Amino acid sequence: MQISNDIDAMRLALRWAEKAMFITSPNPRVGCVLVKDGRVIGEGHTQPPGSAHAEIRALRDAAARGHDVRGATAYVTLEPCSHYGRTPPCADALIRAGLARVVAAVMDPNPLVAGQGLEKLRVAGIQTEAGLLADDATELNVGFMKRMRTGLPWVRMKAAASLDGKTALHNGRSQWITSQAARDDGHWWRARACAILTGIGTVKEDDPQLNVRAVDTPRQPRRIVIDSRLEIDPDARVLVGGGTWIFAAQADADKRSRLEATGAEIIVLPNARGKVDLPEVMAELGRRHINEVHVEAGVKLNGSLIREHCVDELLLYQAPMLLGDAQGLFDLAALESLDNARRLVFHDVRRVGPDLRILARFD
């Protein structure tokens, strides 16, 4: 493949990074393309944790094709790592390979890297640049970027509603407000997340599996339930297969024992009101290396998460219908002034089948 400029090369690297969407957590999704004399000679993306990073895959690809990488340019969607983790530093591999130039889309906010990767390359005599298509590269790893900078995961709240903002009829029925296309699209967002979070109310009402079914993925996100009093039934489908994390405000010994027998882990984090401390939940998820949290909950937990400033963006699917007097999206207090309204910015708006998908981020 011929490449005529840096932007086209980085766009190709970003496409390779997208191929790693569902497999790299908690590591970032990274793509790398090697170009020499205007020709692509190696390509690759990050593999699952403990396996090769994008740069190594691209170098191996070039070798398998019989190409000499000396003097080539590497286009990488994230600054090459400079430290020993589960794998050796990618910066060292690029130096040994004899590359002439490395272009990174965005700097790595990981304190173990944070500019040291590019600095190591510069000291070795390799020309380095950063910032090309940085916004696109950041979007691919918005959760990793936030966790590295703040210790907290990126929290995305998904909901499906009618045009008048209703999520279910007055009797609770909600299947299905949106189309199959919208529901399948929602599973893509589930698949890219590290964890899917819901509340005990949703578990009681819907008995959800809380997994990815409409998208082919080699990895299922962690399932999380907010359940202050450990009211969840040990036979609930969200517990099947084990590994579910249940955040509670109190832990009755008998209930805890029965739930732990299913393979669930109970984490007790009460606040002063006897409820689960939601900001502390997010801090704990960050400590557990969760990059992106996908919330699919009911009106009460949705409202609580927003009030506690735990949500970064809303993923809202709106169907072209009106439901009238029915259940809303969020349980939020009445406002006396528009000055007190929580403001959001439309990040992406598009059609999905007959429905509208809105991605809106809090200011």
Side-chain angles (χ1 to χ4, degrees), residues 111-349:
L112 297 174
V113 185
Q116 297 177 64
L118 291 183
E119 178 61 22
K120 180 178 281 193
L121 295 170
R122 281 193 290 268
V123 169
I126 297 175
Q127 180 185 348
T128 63
E129 299 173 33
L132 183 65
L133 301 183
D135 289 345
D136 297 310
T138 298
E139 283 300 315
L140 279 173
N141 292 297
V142 65
F144 175 81
M145 296 293 188
K146 183 185 177 187
R147 182 170 67 83
M148 286 296 110
R149 290 174 176 138
T150 70
L152 300 171
W154 181 268
V155 180
R156 180 180 298 112
M157 179 177 287
K158 179 258 183 181
S162 60
L163 279 182
D164 51 348
K166 306 302 181 180
T167 61
L169 299 177
H170 64 89
N171 58 13
R173 292 184 60 184
S174 61
Q175 296 183 344
W176 296 105
I177 291 176
T178 53
S179 65
Q180 185 66 53
R183 299 197 296 276
D184 289 349
D185 188 72
H187 274 252
W188 185 91
W189 289 93
R190 280 188 180 188
R192 72 167 282 168
C194 303
I196 305 173
L197 182 149
T198 194
I200 184 59
T202 298
V203 172
K204 284 182 173 181
E205 291 174 13
D206 300 335
D207 193 21
Q209 297 179 66
L210 223 64
N211 58 10
V212 179
R213 300 182 298 280
V215 174
D216 185 20
T217 176
R219 172 194 62 88
Q220 286 289 340
R222 177 76 60 176
R223 295 168 297 176
I224 300 173
V225 179
I226 305 297
D227 181 9
S228 292
R229 297 188 294 272
L230 289 185
E231 299 175 280
I232 189 169
D233 188 327
D235 293 325
R237 294 198 297 174
V238 73
L239 301 178
V240 172
T244 302
W245 293 344
I246 304 175
F247 285 90
Q250 52 185 276
D252 174 274
D254 182 56
K255 289 181 178 179
R256 182 171 197 152
S257 177
R258 286 188 288 119
L259 292 170
E260 288 177 338
T262 71
E265 180 181 356
I266 314 302
I267 306 105
V268 181
L269 292 175
N271 63 17
R273 301 184 303 279
K275 301 289 187 180
V276 173
D277 189 325
L278 296 175
E280 186 56 31
V281 167
M282 298 308 163
E284 178 63 18
L285 294 181
R287 289 189 286 269
R288 293 179 179 226
H289 307 293
I290 298 296
N291 292 332
E292 294 184 24
V293 178
H294 180 92
V295 177
E296 292 195 24
V299 59
K300 290 184 178 179
L301 181 55
N302 282 348
S304 295
L305 287 165
I306 291 173
R307 285 196 304 274
E308 296 282 354
H309 297 272
C310 293
V311 182
D312 293 290
E313 67 182 358
L314 300 180
L315 175 64
L316 178 61
Y317 296 89
Q318 283 197 293
M321 65 173 69
L322 303 175
L323 298 185
D325 186 10
Q327 297 182 20
L329 285 162
F330 319 112
D331 183 12
L332 296 172
L335 300 178
E336 298 299 327
S337 169
L338 286 175
D339 293 337
N340 298 325
R342 291 291 306 277
R343 302 287 180 176
L344 297 96
V345 176
F346 288 126
H347 182 70
D348 184 79
V349 180

Side-chain angles (χ1 to χ4, degrees), residues 3 6 18 80 93 98 264 321 355:
I3 290 289
D6 287 348
E18 290 171 355
M321 65 173 69
D355 305 314

